[in-house]
C-alpha cells in the first residue's frame, strides 16, 4: 500500500531523497514558502499534482498536513550488511542503532532525527514486537526517515550475533549498566542498543551486550524516555569520535 506523507518538511525531504512518489496533493491557494519549492520539485520530476480543498487533505491523513500530502511508495527496508557497507564505503567505523521493542512512533521519529544529525549509518528494528516505519514516524523525523537506512529483522539476537561477526561492539543502554557513558569507550565499530518504553532491553539481548552504560542523573526521575536517552548517548558517541579525529 502507498504511504501517505504529510507536512511540508516531510514531503520536501521525501522528494529530495529521490523516493518514488505517486502523487502530491496541495491545498488550494497554497503557494507560499516551501510549498513553492515542493511544487517545483513535483513538476521537475513529472509527478502528478492535485490541488484540492483542505477538507480533502484532512480526510487523507490524521497528521497535521500544513497544506500538502504526498502519496509515496512504501518504505524500503535494507539488510544489516547494507548498513555496514555504507559505513565501510565512507571509510568510517560503523555506528548502528538497535531499537529493541520500541513501540511509540513519536519516539522512533525523534530517534531517527537525532540519528541522521549524528551520522548513524543505520537502524535495526524487529519485524514484530516493535514500531515500524510509518507516516507518523516520518512526520516526527522531519524527513530524516528518508536518509537513515532501517533494517527490519526477524530476530534481534541473531542480528546482534551478525554484527559481532562483522567486528562491532555492542553497547546497551541500561540504568544498571557497568559504567557511565562518560567513562565508556564509544569509539570504533559500535552498535548502541536502546530498549522499549518502560521495559528496557529484554534479558536475552542484554546478555548479548559486550558492555552496558548508564546515563548519570541527579534528579528525582530515574530514567529518560527512549528518544531522550538515544540523543544523549549518540551525541556522546559523536563527541568521542570527533575528539579522536582532532
Amino acid at each position: 500500500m502507498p504511504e501517505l506523507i504529510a507536512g511540508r518538511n516531510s514531503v520536501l525531504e521525501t522528494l529530495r531523497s529521490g523516493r518514488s512518489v505517486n502523487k502530491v496533493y496541495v491545498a488550494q491557494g497554497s503557494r507560499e514558502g516551501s510549498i513553492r519549492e515542493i511544487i517545483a520539485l513535483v513538476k521537475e520530476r513529472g509527478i502528478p499534482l492535485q490541488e484540492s480543498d483542505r477538507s480533502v487533505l484532512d480526510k487523507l491523513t490524521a497528521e497535521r498536513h500544513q497544506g500538502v500530502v504526498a502519496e509515496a511508495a512504501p518504505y524500503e527496508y535494507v539488510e544489516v550488511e547494507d548498513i555496514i557497507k555504507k559505513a565501510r564505503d565512507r571509510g568510517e567505523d560503523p555506528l548502528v542503532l538497535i531499537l529493541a521493542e520500541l513501540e511509540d512512533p513519536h519516539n522512533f521519529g525523534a530517534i531517527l532525527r537525532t540519528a541522521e544529525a549524528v551520522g548513524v549509518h543505520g537502524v535495526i528494528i524487529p519485524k514484530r514486537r516493535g514500531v515500524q516505519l510509518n507516516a507518523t514516524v516520518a512526520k516526527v523525523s522531519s524527513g530524516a526517515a528518508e536518509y537513515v537506512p532501517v533494517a527490519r529483522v526477524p530476530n534481534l539476537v541473531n542480528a546482534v550475533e551478525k554484527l559481532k561477526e562483522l567486528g562491532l561492539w555492542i553497547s546497551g543502554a541500561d540504568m544498571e549498566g557497568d559504567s557511565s557513558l562518560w567513562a565508556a569507550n564509544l569509539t570504533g565499530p559500535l552498535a548502541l542498543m536502546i530498549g522499549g518504553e518502560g521495559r528496557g532491553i529484554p534479558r536475552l539481548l542484554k546478555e548479548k551486550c559486550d558492555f552496558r552504560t548508564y546515563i548519570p542523573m541527579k534528579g528525582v526521575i530515574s530514567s529518560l524516555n527512549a528518544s531522550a536517552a538515544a540523543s544523549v548517548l549518540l551525541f556522546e558517541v559523536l563527541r568521542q569520535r570527533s575528539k579522536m579525529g582532532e
Side-chain angles (χ1 to χ4, degrees):
M1 292 291 292
E3 190 82 38
L4 292 175
I5 308 297
R8 297 185 182 192
N9 284 340
S10 298
V11 172
L12 189 56
E13 293 303 335
T14 298
L15 292 167
R16 285 173 174 168
S17 71
R19 183 175 169 191
S20 179
V21 175
N22 303 326
K23 181 187 290 188
V24 173
Y25 300 84
V26 174
Q28 289 176 341
S30 295
R31 285 294 185 277
E32 74 286 356
S34 56
I35 290 289
R36 287 197 298 270
E37 185 176 357
I38 288 171
I39 292 173
L41 283 171
V42 166
K43 291 180 177 179
E44 181 183 312
R45 292 183 53 188
I47 298 168
L49 177 67
Q50 181 173 322
E51 290 194 57
S52 305
D53 189 84
R54 282 184 176 270
S55 62
V56 174
L57 274 66
D58 292 339
K59 292 177 182 178
L60 282 174
T61 175
E63 300 292 332
R64 185 166 174 265
H65 54 70
Q66 300 173 303
V68 61
V69 176
E71 184 183 284
Y75 285 100
E76 292 186 11
Y77 292 97
V78 302
E79 301 296 329
V80 172
E81 292 86 352
D82 296 328
I83 295 174
I84 307 304
K85 184 178 184 299
K86 177 182 178 181
R88 305 296 191 201
D89 288 347
R90 292 181 176 179
E92 300 171 349
D93 285 328
L95 176 56
V96 179
L97 198 57
I98 303 169
L99 304 182
E101 300 184 11
L102 192 74
E103 295 181 348
D104 187 344
H106 293 87
N107 270 335
F108 191 10
I111 287 171
L112 285 175
R113 189 170 184 177
T114 301
E116 198 282 327
V118 169
V120 169
H121 297 105
V123 176
I124 300 174
I125 62 173
K127 281 188 176 180
R128 292 174 291 277
R129 302 181 68 181
V131 67
Q132 309 296 298
L133 282 171
N134 57 35
T136 300
V137 173
K139 183 71 163 38
V140 175
S141 78
S142 295
E146 304 298 332
Y147 299 104
V148 181
V150 177
R152 188 172 58 170
V153 299
N155 189 300
L156 281 179
V157 172
N158 290 344
V160 167
E161 291 291 353
K162 179 177 292 185
L163 290 174
K164 288 187 175 186
E165 291 173 4
L166 292 169
L168 277 72
W169 290 86
I170 314 298
S171 173
D174 183 6
M175 289 308 298
E176 298 178 355
D178 311 305
S179 64
S180 76
L181 79 157
W182 318 128
N185 182 357
L186 301 176
T187 61
L190 183 70
L192 288 176
M193 189 183 302
I194 307 291
E197 299 87 353
R199 295 188 306 276
I201 300 172
R203 179 183 58 81
L204 287 176
L205 284 168
K206 192 178 294 187
E207 291 173 354
K208 291 292 181 181
C209 292
D210 295 303
F211 59 96
R212 293 174 290 133
T213 60
Y214 63 87
I215 300 171
M217 287 192 270
K218 297 178 67 175
V220 176
I221 304 300
S222 61
S223 64
L224 299 173
N225 73 11
S227 61
S231 294
V232 173
L233 287 159
L234 286 171
F235 274 101
E236 174 60 11
V237 173
L238 180 61
R239 187 193 70 82
Q240 291 190 20
R241 291 188 171 202
S242 297
K243 190 174 180 180
M244 287 287 291
E246 291 177 355

